[in-house]
Amino acid sequence: MPMLPARPANSTISHLSFEQTLARLRQAIVRRQLKVFAMIDFAADAWSADMELRPTTMIMFGNPAIGTRLLQDDQTTALDLPLKMLVYQTSRGEVRITYIDPVVIAERHGLGVEARRAAALMRHLLTDVAAEAATK
């Protein structure tokens, strides 16, 4: 299996509040007719365990018609799918949108040419969604 880059995630700084960024991210995903599978509010989960965590929410989403292409090539890709984007507030107050590059996922699983093309489409999608959610 090929070596992974030290930081296989891409990160975009948002110019909006955490709440605005999260709402805009979800809207950008839904507007593209992608399926939202789950949203996990890690800060709320921390609160329920009597712990504190800065705002941190993950959205899991995808398009089964595209994601299945990766799974058909190697079903272990399901360990990295559906796509996930993490919105969180740093200790400096920055709001970030972070996600693992789908091309890195394809490389990690040694996928073939067609699946890598699908991963490249996913990469462009995530870049566009993050940019839309992070700007005024």
Side-chain angles (χ1 to χ4, degrees), residues 101-135:
D101 184 338
V103 172
V104 172
I105 293 170
E107 291 170 358
R108 179 181 336 191
H109 294 277
L111 301 184
V113 173
E114 289 302 316
R116 287 176 188 250
R117 283 190 188 124
L121 291 173
M122 291 175 177
R123 169 194 273 172
H124 293 296
L125 170 78
L126 294 178
T127 301
D128 290 348
V129 166
E132 182 179 326
T135 56

Side-chain angles (χ1 to χ4, degrees), residues 27-74:
Q27 290 168 357
I29 290 167
V30 170
R31 185 174 18 264
R32 288 168 173 81
Q33 299 180 345
L34 300 169
K35 183 175 181 177
V36 175
F37 296 108
M39 289 184 67
I40 302 170
D41 184 339
F42 290 104
D45 290 342
W47 181 260
S48 73
D50 293 324
M51 300 174 76
E52 290 185 26
L53 181 66
R54 289 182 301 280
T56 307
T57 299
M58 181 167 45
I59 300 179
M60 300 171 70
F61 64 96
N63 177 335
I66 296 175
T68 300
R69 292 180 190 172
L70 279 68
L71 292 167
Q72 287 173 326
D73 198 290
D74 187 337

